[in-house]
Amino acid sequence: MINYTEFSSSMNDDDDMISMIIELYSEEHGDDIRVIQNKYANQDIEGLFYTIHSLRGVLLTLCEEKATLQLETIENLCKYGDKPDVQRLNEALEEVARVNQQVLTLTA
């Protein structure tokens, strides 16, 4: 989950900047779970790497910790051409789904 206090502090409590980054996350990464699942199913390990790398970077900006760590492990596997275990991937995507739900509450 996003550590909103830390995220807000990192943005100098600038509500406009916070809103912009959250909206950008939704627009740019709101469909990443489906994209990741498709790349995994199609054995596109390189594409999986780039999608997860980008998602993880944005989650770091949002001061999210759990999914970021899970995705880092998967990213490292993909970086070396290894396909991650489906259970590991699903656990990370479940956490991303929780983050996406949290983001919806922040934009409402």
Side-chain angles (χ1 to χ4, degrees), residues 92-93 106:
L93 294 180
L106 297 174

Side-chain angles (χ1 to χ4, degrees), residues 78-89:
C78 293
K79 183 177 184 176
Y80 297 104
D82 296 328
K83 185 176 180 182
D85 177 75
V86 70
Q87 181 179 346
R88 181 184 301 263
L89 182 71

Side-chain angles (χ1 to χ4, degrees), residues 2-107:
I2 296 168
N3 181 333
Y4 190 79
T5 303
E6 189 176 325
F7 173 55
S8 181
S9 178
S10 73
M11 296 293 131
N12 295 319
D13 298 316
D14 182 336
D15 290 336
D16 291 334
M17 181 65 76
I18 292 166
S19 293
M20 182 185 71
I21 290 173
I22 289 172
E23 286 176 29
L24 280 172
Y25 171 81
S26 292
E27 290 172 18
E28 298 293 321
H29 297 280
D31 199 31
D32 277 3
I33 291 173
R34 184 191 59 77
V35 170
I36 289 168
Q37 289 170 330
N38 285 340
K39 290 186 184 304
Y40 186 86
N42 293 317
Q43 309 288 321
D44 182 1
I45 303 303
E46 184 177 349
L48 187 61
F49 167 78
Y50 287 112
T51 303
I52 288 175
H53 177 77
S54 177
L55 176 59
R56 189 175 73 83
V58 173
L59 290 174
L60 280 170
T61 301
L62 293 172
C63 299
E64 195 289 330
E65 295 173 1
K66 187 171 183 180
T68 301
L69 290 173
Q70 292 170 318
L71 291 171
E72 181 177 25
T73 301
I74 295 166
E75 179 184 359
N76 286 329
L77 287 168
C78 293
K79 183 177 184 176
Y80 297 104
D82 296 328
K83 185 176 180 182
D85 177 75
V86 70
Q87 181 179 346
R88 181 184 301 263
L89 182 71
N90 286 338
E91 288 171 2
L93 294 180
E94 287 171 12
E95 192 60 33
V96 171
R98 284 190 273 281
V99 170
N100 290 348
Q101 286 299 314
Q102 182 184 18
V103 165
L104 289 176
T105 66
L106 297 174
T107 57

